[in-house]
């Protein structure tokens, strides 16, 4: 990019050149005397500005003093009107007569119109940014009449049709971003052949483009960022691409590219930081020249048909953080790494044909965070050092031919997930696993493990323990199976005994209860879902309504003691704990003292039973310590009740609204972190990916030690999108949790959940409920906080005074995070995994800072 100085120069030049033009073109005498203030007033008058963001634009002050207007010494004027909630008409005619107008941003607004052709009269424009502003229709060729343009950003709109070849006339263009639109057709070679000054080219996410990669790409010698992912490109990579010596980021992922890579691929990419060729149809071996990319940090080639070895030189690149090569046909051995020099954080090579042993050095690389190599032909034993990296969180080497014993895992205190299933491992399950504080997922099924299940595992907060199909013996530690809703899978170990198992260690079976418990266990055994077991009751129609026989069907995914009759009898007003537009929530105590919450959805479209069952199954399969279990559902011709687990301590909202909310800062952080982790799981790690869409503090349940569980998620799947949106529109109660863009976009995104999370974080920071943070003013918490941020010393008024001053620094940091999450502009919000990293740093400041790579499933 040009430096500030060159821009200045450019701006002044532009001014010199264009002022006479402006004067000449405005030939009517009246217009000739119009001041910039008047022109801008007329421009403003055509806009809709509901939040009054342009209130400082008053004729009595010089326009250079107005907000969102910048004037540089050289006489260049910039208008930065992004993210102000603007809509209405864009009066380009007066606007383009403002002398020296060099930069115009209307990004992140909701104009809902075509790109005004008249903008082509703003001949002094150097930079035009219309991204994410709800523009639709064709890309006007007239924009090519802006002779000084160096940066054109039209990304994230609904622009359709061809990219006009005439744009090639913009010889000075350095940045061209057309990503995320609905452009179609074939790209004209002139676009690439003539725009030789480009540094940044983004044509990604235009799924209707039909093009090969044109050889002319190679003529854009200055290109540093090239984003062509997800745009329907076909054919092979042209040899000329290899000439782009300045490339830093090359993303060709998610296209239909084919063929082998040119053998010299990489030999001139000395500056390449990130290479993404994933999800294409490339084949053949991967060129060895990749070792010339000495600055490479991210290497992603997963989901192709590459064969042969991964070049040895790749593994020793000094800055490499990530290797993703899963779902290919690579073979050969995984090399040892230089444990001193390697900065690898993530190695994913699952589903290939790698053979030989797991390198001993994997766990010795101190930054290693994730190692997954499942579904290969790795043999030999697990290295003793596999878990020595202090950052190691995920290990998956299932479905290989590994043998020998499971080593003691003591050092990887951040290990979350360990999958060793489907190998030939022998010996006992090491008791030391019980000492890894965040281990939540253990799958050692289908091996030849012997001995007992270590009692130490009871220390863990497990989301899944699968030991099935081994030769384990002895008594199952009681608390592993006693919880009402365990996630422990024991089948295929005839030597195990304990209450509820076919083989009770001491007492003979008590007939009745024994059966129930056996059924319970059998249900775990059959896998996640109990459906087949027939935990399936037909209940009567709701009390007193009508006599027409309309059967209610109850489907339970977990063994809870509840019959259909009991459920219907309990759906009474006295059990209601919450009401919303979609229906009421009932709290029901079961015979065994366990509590469940039942969400009864009214006027919920008319899903068929079968469709609903499939959706519900999907939700019931979610296993995460921070996601409340969906226990079952009840159905009758379009009316649906969903049954969730409920925790004794109630919801976060209850806690915040209690007369005294005195929970300490570290516990509040713990709540926030848990919620965030649950969301990361459903957003990124669960298949299919889900959105919560109704996150609010009343949907956060609290367990012991303030461990939160998120509930009420993905209701849209039960009721259908239409009914769901209608309910959101009619429910005035929880509006403050809803991201503002919901009004203008139809497609829900994970960033809307991030917004809702930000609102909860603000509740935790301020100690005030989101709906009405103060008794005197009726604004919601986001506005309440924003108002106070502006006044000097505002933060002191925001942070909950009930919390000791020593926590202030952390609270301040959390506040900044919450403000980012609740940013009006979705693209300013962090993704949930980034939120987790940030919160983890606050929660345990003594742990080393994260290595920066987000968890990417
Ligand atoms: C405009 O801004 C300048 C510099 O910031 C200041 O000196 C001047 O007083 C301002 N004028 C008005 C009318 O506010
Ligand atoms: C256009 O504006 C958006 C929103 O402010 C910003 O994220 C983006 O970087 C801008 N584009 C360019 C090329 O500067
Ligand atoms: C592209 O450049 C060639 C010469 O370099 C020129 O003849 C042609 O008109 C240009 N195309 C456009 C669309 O400007
Ligand atoms: C393994 O990778 C191939 C592509 O190479 C893919 O078709 C297949 O579905 C993958 N298998 C699994 C289990 O992911
Ligand atoms: C481990 O790998 C197997 C096979 O690729 C996969 O099915 C399983 O989901 C993975 N486990 C985890 C926890 O990611
Ligand atoms: C692992 O497999 C390779 C062949 O892929 C074989 O040569 C080697 O002996 C095997 N090692 C062990 C320990 O089985
Ligand atoms: C547990 O392991 C067995 C054997 O590998 C497998 O069939 C079953 O699906 C697993 N259960 C869960 C819930 O992962
Ligand atoms: C969304 O639209 C509703 C009316 O449809 C309005 O009451 C509400 O204020 C709007 N929300 C935002 C954030 O603009
Ligand atoms: C855009 O405008 C059209 C009418 O021109 C209207 O039907 C549509 O609802 C608007 N879309 C949005 C998101 O406001
Ligand atoms: C707070 O300050 C920002 C800029 O500093 C301004 O854009 C915003 O309008 C102010 N908000 C209020 C409520 O005063």
């Amino acid at each position: 990019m040009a430096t500030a100085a060159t821009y200045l120069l450019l701006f002044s030049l532009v001014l010199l050149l264009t002022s006479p033009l402006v004067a000449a073109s405005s030939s009517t005498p009246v217009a000739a005397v119009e001041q910039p203030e008047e022109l801008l007033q007329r421009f403003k008058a055509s806009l809709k500005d509901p939040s009054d963001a342009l209130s400082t634009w008053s004729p009595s002050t010089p326009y250079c003093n107005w907000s969102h207007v910048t004037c540089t010494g050289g006489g260049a004027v910039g208008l930065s009107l992004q993210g102000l909630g603007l809509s209405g008409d864009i009066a380009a005619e007066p606007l383009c007569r403002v002398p020296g107008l060099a930069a115009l941003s209307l990004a992140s607004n909701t104009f809902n119109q075509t790109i005004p052709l008249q903008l082509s009269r703003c001949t002094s424009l150097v930079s035009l940014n219309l991204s994410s502003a709800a523009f639709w229709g064709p890309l006007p060729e007239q924009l090519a009449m802006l002779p000084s343009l160096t940066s054109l950003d039209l990304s994230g709109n609904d622009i359709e049709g061809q990219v006009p070849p005439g744009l090639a006339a913009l010889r000075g263009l350095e940045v061209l971003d057309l990503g995320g639109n609905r452009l179609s057709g074939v790209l004209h070679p002139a676009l690439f052949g003539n725009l030789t000054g480009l540094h940044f080219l983004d044509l990604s996410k235009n799924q209707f483009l039909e093009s090969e990669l044109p050889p002319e790409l190679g003529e854009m010698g200055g290109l540093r960022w090239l984003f062509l992912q997800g745009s329907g490109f076909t054919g092979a990579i042209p040899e000329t691409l290899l000439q782009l010596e300045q490339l830093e980021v090359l993303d060709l992922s998610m296209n239909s590219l084919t063929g082998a890579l040119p053998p010299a691929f990489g030999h001139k990419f000395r500056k390449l930081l990130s290479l993404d060729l994933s999800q294409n149809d490339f084949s053949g071996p991967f060129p060895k020249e990749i070792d010339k990319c000495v600055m490479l940090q991210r290497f992603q080639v997963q989901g192709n048909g590459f064969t042969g070895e991964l070049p040895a030189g790749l593994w020793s690149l000094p800055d490499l953080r990530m290797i993703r090569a899963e779902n290919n046909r690579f073979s050969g051995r995984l090399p040892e790494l230089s444990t001193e020099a390697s900065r690898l954080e993530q190695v994913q090579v699952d589903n290939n044909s790698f053979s030989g042993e797991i390198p001993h050095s994997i766990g010795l690389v101190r930054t290693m965070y994730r190692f997954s190599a499942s579904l290969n032909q790795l043999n030999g034993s697990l290295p003793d050092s596999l878990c020595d990296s202090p950052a190691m969180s995920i290990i998956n080497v299932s479905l290989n031919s590994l043998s020998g014993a499971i080593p003691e895992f003591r050092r990887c205190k951040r290990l979350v997930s360990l999958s060793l299933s489907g190998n030939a491992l022998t010996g006992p399950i090491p008791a030391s696993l019980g000492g890894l504080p965040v281990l939540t997922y253990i799958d050692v099924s289908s091996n030849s493990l012997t001995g007992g299940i270590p009692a130490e595992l009871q220390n863990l907060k497990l989301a899944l323990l699968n030991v099935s199909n081994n030769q384990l013996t002895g008594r199952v530690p009681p608390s592993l199976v006693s919880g009402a809703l365990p996630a422990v899978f024991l089948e295929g170990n005839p030597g195990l005994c304990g209450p509820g198992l076919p083989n009770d260690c001491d007492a003979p079976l008590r007939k009745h209860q024994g059966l129930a418990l056996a059924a319970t266990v059998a249900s775990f055994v059959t896998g996640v879902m109990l459906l087949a077991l027939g935990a399936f009751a037909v209940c009567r129609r709701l009390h007193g309504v009508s006599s027409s026989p309309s059967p209610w069907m109850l489907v339970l995914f977990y063994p809870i003691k509840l019959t259909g009759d009991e459920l219907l009898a309990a759906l009474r007003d006295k059990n209601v704990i919450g009401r919303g537009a979609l229906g009421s929530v009932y709290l029901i105590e079961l015979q065994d003292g366990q509590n469940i919450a039942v969400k009864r959805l009214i006027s919920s479209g008319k899903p068929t039973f079968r469709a609903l069952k499939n959706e519900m199954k999907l939700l019931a399969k979610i296993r995460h310590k921070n996601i409340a279990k969906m226990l079952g559902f009840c159905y009758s011709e379009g009316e649906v009740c969903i049954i969730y687990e409920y925790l004794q301590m109630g919801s976060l909202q209850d806690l915040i609204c209690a007369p005294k909310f005195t929970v300490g800062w570290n516990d509040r952080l713990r709540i926030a972190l848990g919620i965030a982790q649950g969301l990361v799981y459903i957003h990124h790690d669960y298949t299919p990916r889900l959105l919560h869409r109704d996150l609010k503090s009343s949907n956060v349940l609290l367990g012991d030690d303030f461990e939160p569980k998120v509930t009420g998620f993905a209701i849209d799947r039960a009721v259908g999108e239409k009914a769901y949106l209608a309910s959101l529109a009619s429910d005035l109660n929880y509006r403050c949790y809803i991201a503002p863009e919901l009004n203008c976009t139809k497609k829900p995104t994970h960033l809307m959940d991030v917004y809702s999370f930000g609102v909860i974080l603000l509740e935790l920071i301020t100690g005030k409920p989101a709906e009405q943070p103060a008794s005197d003013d009726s604004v919601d918490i986001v506005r309440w906080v924003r108002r106070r941020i502006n006044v000097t010393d505002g933060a002191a008024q925001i942070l909950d005074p009930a919390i000791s001053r020593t926590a202030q620094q952390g609270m301040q940091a959390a506040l900044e995070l919450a403000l980012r999450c609740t940013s009006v502009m979705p693209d300013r919000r962090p993704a949930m995994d980034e939120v987790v990293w940030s919160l983890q740093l606050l929660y345990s400041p003594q742990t080393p800072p994260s290595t920066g790579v987000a968890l990417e499933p």
Side-chain angles (χ1 to χ4, degrees):
M1 302 254 171
T3 62
T6 40
Y7 266 128
L8 259 175
L9 197 72
L10 207 62
F11 286 10
S12 15
L13 247 169
V14 159
L15 185 66
L16 274 175
L17 288 173
T18 54
S19 310
L21 277 180
V22 171
S25 66
S26 48
S27 48
T28 57
V30 184
V33 296
E34 250 180 320
Q35 293 302 306
E37 283 82 3
E38 296 169 82
L39 296 167
L40 287 169
Q41 285 295 326
R42 279 170 54 201
F43 167 66
K44 174 186 165 183
S46 69
L47 293 171
K48 284 193 192 135
D49 175 16
S51 64
D52 229 359
L54 305 183
S55 57
T56 60
W57 289 29
S58 101
S60 55
T61 46
Y63 70 106
C64 288
N65 286 33
W66 297 353
S67 56
H68 314 293
V69 178
T70 45
C71 299
T72 61
V77 176
L79 290 188
S80 316
L81 305 178
Q82 65 271 24
L84 300 178
L86 301 177
S87 58
D89 285 334
I90 298 168
E93 186 271 328
L95 179 67
C96 290
R97 281 166 48 209
V98 173
L101 181 66
L104 173 63
S105 173
L106 299 173
S108 306
N109 287 297
T110 50
F111 285 108
N112 188 12
Q113 58 182 271
T114 57
I115 296 177
L117 301 184
Q118 305 257 359
L119 282 178
S120 61
R121 295 203 190 166
C122 295
T123 45
S124 54
L125 273 184
V126 174
S127 150
L128 177 60
N129 190 342
L130 304 180
S131 70
S132 306
F135 286 106
W136 43 266
L139 201 177
E141 183 145 18
Q142 285 83 344
L143 290 183
M145 291 158 62
L146 298 171
S148 316
L149 208 60
T150 62
S151 169
L152 177 61
D153 187 347
L154 306 178
S155 61
N157 287 295
D158 281 318
I159 298 170
E160 311 170 322
Q162 268 207 300
V163 182
L167 282 194
L170 291 169
R171 290 304 190 82
L173 212 54
E174 295 174 357
V175 174
L176 177 59
D177 192 346
L178 303 177
N181 280 294
R182 302 164 61 83
L183 296 167
S184 57
V186 177
L187 292 168
H188 197 283
L191 278 172
F192 302 93
N194 287 30
L195 297 178
T196 49
L198 279 188
H199 296 162
F200 179 107
L201 175 59
D202 189 340
L203 293 170
S204 66
K205 294 179 266 176
N206 281 286
Q207 51 173 325
F208 306 112
L209 284 179
E210 299 160 25
S211 259
E212 304 213 334
L213 296 176
E216 289 79 6
L217 264 178
E219 282 161 47
M220 303 173 135
L223 214 50
R224 287 159 65 191
W225 293 278
L226 180 55
F227 295 96
L228 301 179
Q229 70 272 23
S231 288
F233 286 103
T234 54
I237 291 190
E239 194 88 32
T240 53
L241 186 84
L242 310 192
Q243 298 162 17
L244 300 178
E245 296 185 21
Q246 303 299 321
L247 269 189
E248 292 173 23
V249 178
L250 175 59
D251 192 342
L252 302 177
S253 62
M254 296 182 288
N255 285 299
S256 305
L257 297 168
T258 51
L261 301 185
F265 187 87
H267 79 305
K268 281 190 179 165
F269 296 163
R270 298 288 160 87
K271 297 185 176 168
L272 195 65
L273 301 173
S274 172
L275 172 67
D276 193 344
L277 305 180
S278 61
Q279 312 299 350
N280 280 289
D281 293 313
F282 289 120
S283 54
F286 203 93
K288 294 203 167 25
E289 298 288 301
I290 190 72
D291 64 0
K292 302 292 195 313
C293 305
V294 288
M295 294 178 74
L296 195 64
Q297 297 184 0
R298 300 161 76 97
F299 175 85
Q300 294 172 268
V301 302
Q302 70 271 22
N304 281 290
F306 286 117
T307 51
E309 302 205 351
L310 264 182
L314 173 71
W315 295 88
S316 46
L317 288 175
D319 275 330
L320 197 64
R321 315 289 160 91
M322 173 196 279
I323 294 183
R324 290 195 58 182
E326 68 269 23
N327 301 335
N328 277 290
R329 297 200 300 273
F330 285 115
S331 56
R333 289 164 168 265
L334 300 176
E336 290 293 343
L337 304 169
S338 151
T339 57
E340 296 304 309
S342 180
R343 300 175 76 175
L344 269 173
E345 295 168 355
Q346 195 169 348
V347 173
Q348 287 175 253
V349 295
D350 314 70
N351 188 17
N352 280 288
S353 299
F354 287 108
S355 56
E357 301 197 354
I358 297 176
H360 286 250
S361 46
I362 285 289
L364 297 173
V365 173
R366 294 191 55 79
T367 46
M368 190 67 72
Y369 156 78
R370 175 177 196 153
F371 176 69
S372 65
S374 65
L375 266 170
N376 279 291
Q377 289 132 39
L378 299 172
N379 65 5
S381 52
L382 289 168
D384 286 342
S385 56
L386 187 57
C387 138
D388 283 4
S389 157
M392 188 69 91
S393 298
I394 299 176
I395 295 177
N396 190 347
V397 292
S398 58
L399 298 163
N400 279 290
S401 305
L402 300 165
S403 53
I406 303 176
E408 295 287 339
F409 282 175
R410 293 186 198 281
R411 302 217 177 149
C412 37
K413 294 291 186 210
R414 295 171 87 170
L415 192 67
V416 174
S417 169
L418 177 65
S419 309
L420 306 175
S421 77
N423 282 290
L425 299 170
T426 51
I429 299 173
S432 56
L433 288 182
L436 301 180
V438 293
L439 187 57
T440 43
Y441 183 105
I442 304 178
D443 187 355
V444 294
S445 64
S446 299
N447 280 291
S448 302
L449 300 174
T450 50
I453 298 178
E456 286 79 358
L457 296 189
Q458 296 177 113
N459 302 337
L460 299 176
K461 294 216 163 82
L462 286 172
L464 179 107
L465 171 64
N466 195 346
V467 300
S468 24
N469 300 339
N470 279 291
Q471 286 135 41
L472 298 170
T473 51
R475 178 186 285 273
V476 177
S479 84
L480 284 181
V481 278
S482 71
L485 309 163
V488 177
F489 296 83
L490 307 170
E491 70 171 314
N493 289 287
L496 285 180
C497 68
L501 283 168
N503 178 3
D504 194 331
C505 298
D506 19 56
L509 279 185
R510 266 167 300 150
K511 197 170 170 229
H512 201 64
Q513 197 177 2
L515 271 181
L517 282 168
T520 304
V521 172
S523 62
F524 304 149
V525 163
T526 44
V528 186
M529 294 305 100
L530 275 185
L531 283 173
L533 197 82
F536 206 100
V538 179
C539 345
R540 247 174 279 120
R541 195 172 161 74
L542 275 177
H543 49 282
V545 185
S546 110
S547 54
S548 67
S550 160
W552 276 81
M553 280 177 281
L554 173 67
V555 176
L556 295 176
F557 299 119
Y558 287 86
I560 54 174
K561 289 212 171 78
L562 176 72
T563 67
D565 289 331
E566 283 165 355
L567 175 63
L568 291 186
L571 295 180
R572 267 185 276 141
D573 272 358
K574 80 172 176 44
N575 290 333
V576 169
I577 52 168
R579 288 183 205 275
L582 276 171
S584 301
V585 182
Y586 301 80
L587 175 60
I588 300 176
E589 185 175 345
L590 302 182
Q591 287 164 9
D592 60 1
Q594 188 193 342
N595 283 327
I596 58 171
V598 178
K599 189 160 197 140
R600 183 170 179 200
L601 305 171
I602 45 182
S603 70
S604 56
K606 291 243 180 231
T608 65
F609 177 65
R610 180 185 294 267
L612 184 70
K613 193 168 84 178
N614 285 334
E615 292 294 345
M616 293 294 109
K617 248 165 127 168
L618 201 84
L619 300 186
K621 277 191 197 172
I622 300 178
R623 294 283 158 94
H624 190 277
K625 70 176 177 7
N626 299 116
I627 301 287
K629 294 196 176 75
M630 212 280 280
L631 307 175
F633 71 97
C634 186
Y635 172 87
S636 165
E637 285 187 5
E639 192 169 340
V640 178
C641 303
I642 308 184
I643 307 171
Y644 297 97
E645 73 174 311
Y646 194 79
L647 305 180
Q648 297 294 353
M649 278 182 64
S651 78
L652 178 60
Q653 190 188 37
D654 301 341
L655 191 69
I656 293 173
C657 295
K660 264 198 173 162
F661 176 40
T662 53
V663 178
W665 179 238
N666 225 36
D667 287 329
R668 294 191 196 188
L669 266 180
R670 183 186 180 115
I671 295 172
L673 187 57
I675 302 170
Q677 282 166 331
L679 289 177
V680 168
Y681 185 76
I682 61 170
H683 282 176
H684 301 287
D685 293 343
Y686 190 64
T687 324
R689 297 176 178 200
L690 297 172
L691 300 177
H692 188 299
R693 303 195 64 186
D694 192 20
L695 186 64
K696 50 197 179 194
S697 54
S698 59
N699 269 339
V700 174
L701 305 174
L702 296 175
D704 299 340
D705 293 339
F706 298 104
E707 186 76 56
K709 277 185 197 271
V710 175
T711 184
F713 42 87
I715 298 284
D716 53 313
R717 292 197 164 244
V719 300
E721 183 68 18
K722 220 169 132 194
Y724 188 74
L725 283 179
S727 78
L728 281 187
S730 67
D731 188 356
L732 293 172
N733 278 331
Y734 293 103
R735 186 148 278 163
C736 65
Y737 292 96
I738 297 174
E741 72 269 21
L742 186 78
N743 271 6
C744 44
T745 50
K746 289 182 199 73
K747 223 175 139 243
T749 69
H750 63 100
L751 291 172
M752 295 184 181
D753 282 352
V754 173
Y755 184 93
S756 314
F757 172 82
V759 175
I760 295 183
L761 190 53
L762 285 177
E763 293 185 277
L764 290 167
I765 292 165
T766 59
K768 295 180 192 301
E771 287 298 328
Q772 219 165 341
S775 51
D776 48 324
D777 51 10
S778 58
V779 294
D780 67 47
I781 197 161
V782 176
R783 278 195 235 163
W784 185 86
V785 166
R786 297 229 146 151
R787 280 187 189 174
R788 272 157 190 77
I789 285 270
N790 277 12
V791 300
T792 32
D793 204 22
Q797 296 181 36
I798 293 168
L799 307 184
D800 189 345
I803 287 182
S804 84
R805 298 199 133 259
T806 53
Q808 288 228 344
Q809 214 180 343
M811 291 175 80
Q812 192 82 43
L815 177 61
E816 272 161 36
L817 182 65
L819 287 173
R820 280 176 64 207
C821 292
T822 53
S823 168
V824 177
M825 276 176 283
D827 54 359
R828 293 243 175 117
R829 295 176 206 148
M832 257 358 269
D833 45 9
E834 190 190 333
V835 171
V836 167
W837 285 119
S838 309
L839 288 173
Q840 270 170 347
L841 290 181
L842 297 178
Y843 184 55
S844 43
Q846 68 276 18
T847 54
S850 91
T851 47
V853 164
L855 205 160
E856 290 192 29

